[in-house]
Amino acid sequence: MSGAAEQPPKTLADKLGYLIDIYVQQSDPGGNGSRRWPSFEKLATEISEATGKSISHGYLHQLCRGHRTNPTLHHLQALAEFFRVPVAFFTDDESTREIVAQYELVLAMRNSRIREICTYAPLLDREGLEEVTALVKSLATGRQGSAGPPAPRE
């Protein structure tokens, strides 16, 4: 999920997939998307070693593929600890939405152009922020108005 218009993941498998995608992105120093998911065996080992809670690669595979949908609290705690999210990420859609929004912001801030915009944003007054927000929304949705750019402020 990499856009504000998309819906947050709903199923346990989708939520795990989202977290694994984030995990891969965070471990991709170049940010070029060349990293792939680790094997379930490697990921299960990393989870077990990092949390001290055992999870088998077969069970992790079943959870990620949606073949198992009701994990134990022990496994949810291990997954939550490893991916640094509260257990509620897996059980509460509102928590999922909030956490996904936070991750998307963090990932967006890896882009130097976005950081540059954010650097100058505090220097704008309310009207300037509204203009920038409207322009960015318009460009992002592909609906830039035919009226052209906003008129200069006096």
Side-chain angles (χ1 to χ4, degrees), residues 59-137:
Y59 187 68
L60 182 60
H61 178 269
Q62 290 177 335
L63 291 173
C64 288
R65 297 296 182 233
H67 302 299
R68 297 288 294 267
T69 58
N70 193 18
T72 66
L73 180 59
H74 169 84
H75 288 117
L76 284 179
Q77 289 170 332
L79 293 166
E81 183 179 338
F82 180 76
F83 290 113
R84 296 186 175 119
V85 296
V87 171
F89 177 85
F90 299 108
T91 60
D92 178 59
D93 288 341
E94 185 57 34
S95 292
T96 303
R97 245 186 311 284
E98 290 172 7
I99 292 164
V100 165
Q102 291 170 10
Y103 269 124
E104 295 299 319
L105 178 60
V106 168
L107 291 173
M109 292 303 291
R110 292 178 75 184
N111 181 309
S112 63
R113 299 283 184 163
I114 292 174
R115 284 194 313 272
E116 184 177 10
I117 292 168
C118 291
T119 300
Y120 291 103
L123 303 175
L124 299 172
D125 61 13
R126 182 183 175 138
E127 183 180 318
L129 284 172
E130 288 173 1
E131 289 174 12
V132 168
T133 301
L135 178 61
V136 170
K137 282 182 180 178

